[in-house]
Amino acid sequence: MKSDIDYRNKLVLAPMVRVGTLPMRLLALEYGADLVYTEEIIDWKLLRAERHTNEVLGTIDYIDTTDGTVVFRTCPDERGKVVLQIGTASAERAVAVGQMMQNDVAAIDVNMGCPKDFSIKGGMGVALLYDLPRAKAILEGLVQGVRIPVTCKIRVMPDLDETVALAKELQSTGIRAIGVHGRTKTERPRDPVNEDAIARVANALHIPVIANGGSQSITRRHDILRFAQRCSTTSVMVARAAEWNCSVFRADGPLPLDDVIRRYLELSVRYDNSPSNTKYCVQMMLRSLQESPIGRRLLDSQTMQQICDIWEMGEYCRETQLRYHFAGIKGRRACRPRTQSGDGGPVAEGNEPTASKKQCLEESPDSDPEPLNEENVCFIRSNFIDDNSLPKSKLYLHAVRNGLPRAQYEVQQKDKLFRATIRFDGQRYTSSFWEKNKRYAEQAAALVCLLKRGVESRDELIRNGAMLPAKNGPAAAVVEQTGSSKADAAGESETNGEARPMVESC
């Protein structure tokens, strides 16, 4: 039996790349949005993802098997209200995604309005408006192949009659609603939105039209409703105005920006959102304030703790992340590559092999005569004020002062991840943390070497997030006092974790 959504009289968080992740969607719902769209996710990214039930967070996670990142995460609080927007140029792939995701989202939306080169060159986004047979085949395939509602989002054409004719053709596929952005593919947010064009489409169709593109005139909920009236629609998608201050949906008026940011950070920590994504969203909220002292602190931040410290939420962040860690969440520190580059062996500095798809089942036995010293240490660039304070620079000076040969670095690449081993003074040093690039892997290995030789302090590395405390250490005792059971960590949830960072940056 097919499910349904009434798309009339709805206030909607529009699909926005890097913004429409779980914390922002939940924030929009909390402030009064009726439906929330995900950021556009390309079909093949979802098709190579694996579905996991995250018992610690109480979420459903779709995890990229090549690098452990979360492609999509959802939770019960948005059930029945979250719409998955996909980027696709293939009816076959679109249907495969719809059938894979239909139990975890309320509806599927096909992006037919993105004007970016990436989408157009791939036959996706606005390119579909100029390839009507393909666009209709995708929508018809989804309508017939999934149990949940199907919609699409378009831009207006330069010719309004052509826009109306196109919308009617798309309506004939059986979609439940259509979002209309009142700008053409060449127009940008600074250009005025064509409200009359949206109204022409709305008056010509019998399915609901969701007006989009009015953020320049929207600062509060009343403005959203007036935009709908001018566009002859009852529903509106809000993008940039919600990105700037998500409380724009509130019936009682928007909240101060700092209050919105704090609530957004609370949700980001609660649902283990990546620091890079969280940072980006807060930057979008700050807008011109990015040049203020707070904005500069945010720009220099790299971990979730550092971001939260700016808004006096650092302690909440630390305690929550440690509870998750001890509850067994599979975070970024547990991420291991699935495939390996070349023959899987280390590569000398400066020689980065091309990745192959040979399975990496386990590490080869260690037959090297030099002892291997290993710690789980990650490199966080913002912990170091200048190049002279970087771990590799410190290790070089340590060698010079003690009359020792320079350290020799070997780097191993697997999938999109890197790990370095240092040969220094008759021993080897490495971090078990796989870094995102070669430079970071070398710096992490140098930190392990400095730690083992007493140049760096373990307590300091724990304090700045480069290491996690031992489960029976002082920090663990704090967690035990505040409650470290799996149920507490999950927030009384019932739902395997992602490979995102917890205390460190990724």
Side-chain angles (χ1 to χ4, degrees):
M1 182 176 178
K2 284 184 175 288
S3 61
D4 198 10
I5 294 176
D6 184 357
Y7 284 90
R8 292 179 172 84
N9 299 303
K10 293 294 187 289
L11 302 186
V12 183
L13 179 70
M16 290 178 283
V17 174
R18 300 183 66 185
V19 175
T21 46
L22 180 59
M24 190 65 78
R25 300 197 304 266
L26 293 176
L27 194 65
L29 291 172
E30 186 175 300
Y31 288 146
D34 301 298
L35 296 173
V36 288
Y37 280 53
T38 70
E39 60 179 340
E40 177 195 31
I41 307 178
I42 307 304
D43 51 14
W44 56 262
K45 290 192 70 173
L46 286 162
L47 291 175
R48 77 180 185 189
E50 291 181 351
R51 183 183 188 274
H52 292 266
T53 299
N54 189 323
E55 296 177 351
V56 177
L57 296 180
T59 59
I60 300 296
D61 300 343
Y62 285 81
I63 300 174
D64 188 327
T65 57
T66 66
D67 62 5
T69 57
V70 171
V71 178
F72 171 69
R73 166 171 285 165
T74 186
C75 73
D77 285 349
E78 63 174 3
R79 189 166 186 85
K81 300 176 181 178
V82 59
V83 179
L84 171 68
Q85 188 185 69
I86 61 172
T88 186
S90 163
E92 182 180 2
R93 289 198 302 271
V95 172
V97 167
Q99 292 176 345
M100 179 177 75
M101 305 287 294
Q102 62 185 341
N103 292 326
D104 295 317
V105 297
I108 300 284
D109 182 81
V110 178
N111 185 346
M112 297 187 179
C114 180
K116 302 296 185 182
D117 285 345
F118 169 81
S119 288
I120 294 175
K121 289 177 181 177
M124 302 179 292
V126 76
L128 290 172
L129 301 185
Y130 298 88
D131 188 352
L132 188 55
R134 185 193 297 267
K136 292 181 67 175
I138 291 170
L139 295 178
E140 288 170 349
L142 281 167
V143 168
Q144 297 168 14
V146 301
R147 299 186 304 272
I148 55 178
V150 176
T151 62
C152 68
K153 183 171 181 286
I154 68 171
R155 284 181 172 246
V156 298
M157 314 284 274
D159 185 315
L160 294 190
D161 291 334
E162 188 178 359
T163 304
V164 171
L166 171 72
K168 287 182 176 179
E169 288 286 343
L170 298 176
Q171 176 183 252
S172 71
T173 63
I175 58 175
R176 300 291 298 140
I178 184 168
V180 181
H181 185 129
R183 295 183 179 87
T184 67
K185 72 173 184 177
T186 60
E187 292 177 326
R188 294 297 177 261
R190 63 180 177 272
D191 297 311
V193 62
N194 192 336
E195 297 172 347
D196 291 338
I198 300 174
R200 282 276 304 275
V201 175
N203 290 326
L205 301 187
H206 61 75
I207 61 173
V209 170
I210 309 171
N212 179 231
S215 284
Q216 289 179 348
S217 63
I218 293 173
T219 59
R220 58 184 60 244
R221 186 185 182 101
H222 178 68
D223 298 331
I224 303 175
L225 301 178
R226 292 187 64 183
F227 176 64
Q229 290 175 346
R230 295 195 300 270
C231 294
S232 296
T233 69
T234 63
S235 297
V236 174
M237 280 182 178
V238 184
R240 289 177 301 126
E243 174 186 85
W244 299 331
N245 187 329
C246 201
S247 67
V248 71
F249 292 109
R250 290 182 79 243
D252 296 334
L255 295 171
L257 185 59
D258 277 345
D259 292 350
V260 176
I261 291 175
R262 288 190 182 94
R263 180 56 182 155
Y264 171 74
L265 291 177
E266 185 177 3
L267 290 168
S268 293
V269 172
R270 164 67 181 87
Y271 289 101
D272 197 30
N273 199 45
S274 76
S276 60
N277 180 254
T278 301
K279 177 179 176 179
Y280 175 84
C281 290
V282 176
Q283 285 180 303
M284 295 303 100
M285 296 183 208
L286 290 179
R287 301 174 70 192
S288 61
L289 294 176
Q290 290 188 49
E291 297 303 318
S292 68
I294 283 180
R296 287 193 290 271
R297 282 185 66 190
L298 178 65
L299 185 63
D300 291 337
S301 64
Q302 193 172 339
T303 68
M304 191 69 83
Q305 287 183 19
Q306 291 169 339
I307 297 170
C308 288
D309 280 336
I310 301 172
W311 281 273
E312 300 177 345
M313 295 180 62
E315 194 58 35
Y316 164 74
C317 178
R318 281 182 281 274
E319 291 181 1
T320 302
Q321 290 176 333
L322 286 171
R323 283 202 302 273
Y324 288 169
H325 172 62
F326 296 137
I329 193 172
K330 295 180 181 178
R332 175 68 178 85
R333 289 183 180 273
C335 182
R336 295 294 182 271
R338 291 280 302 273
T339 60
Q340 64 184 19
S341 303
D343 60 5
V347 294
E349 187 170 0
N351 297 318
E352 298 182 19
T354 302
S356 70
K357 294 300 180 184
K358 185 167 57 176
Q359 284 297 313
C360 174
L361 300 178
E362 59 183 31
E363 299 292 333
S364 57
D366 188 359
S367 58
D368 198 297
E370 294 182 344
L372 179 65
N373 300 274
E374 184 177 69
E375 293 277 357
N376 191 256
V377 176
C378 71
F379 172 69
I380 301 172
R381 180 63 182 87
S382 58
N383 285 338
F384 305 93
I385 58 175
D386 54 44
D387 289 351
N388 291 329
S389 67
L390 290 171
K392 288 182 68 174
S393 300
K394 284 186 179 180
L395 184 56
Y396 172 77
L397 291 175
H398 176 73
V400 170
R401 290 167 181 163
N402 290 278
L404 299 171
R406 289 180 56 183
Q408 300 298 310
Y409 293 84
E410 297 173 336
V411 179
Q412 188 178 34
Q413 178 186 355
K414 296 181 178 180
D415 287 339
K416 303 174 185 177
L417 302 174
F418 297 81
R419 183 177 176 184
T421 300
I422 293 177
R423 295 181 183 274
F424 184 72
D425 194 22
Q427 298 200 47
R428 292 177 299 146
Y429 302 88
T430 190
S431 173
S432 59
F433 183 91
W434 288 81
E435 293 281 3
K436 64 181 181 180
N437 61 48
K438 177 175 175 287
R439 298 188 305 277
Y440 279 26
E442 291 174 342
Q443 298 288 1
L447 270 177
V448 173
C449 183
L450 294 168
L451 171 66
K452 292 295 188 179
R453 298 183 71 88
V455 180
E456 287 285 350
S457 159
R458 184 178 296 270
D459 289 344
E460 178 64 17
L461 292 179
I462 292 173
R463 187 195 66 78
N464 64 31
M467 295 184 71
L468 290 174
K471 192 165 185 177
N472 57 355
V478 172
V479 176
E480 290 295 333
Q481 293 170 10
T482 57
S484 64
S485 70
K486 185 169 289 191
D488 289 339
E492 299 183 354
S493 63
E494 298 179 355
T495 72
N496 193 1
E498 60 160 322
R500 291 279 192 183
M502 286 158 318
V503 185
E504 75 282 355
S505 169
C506 178

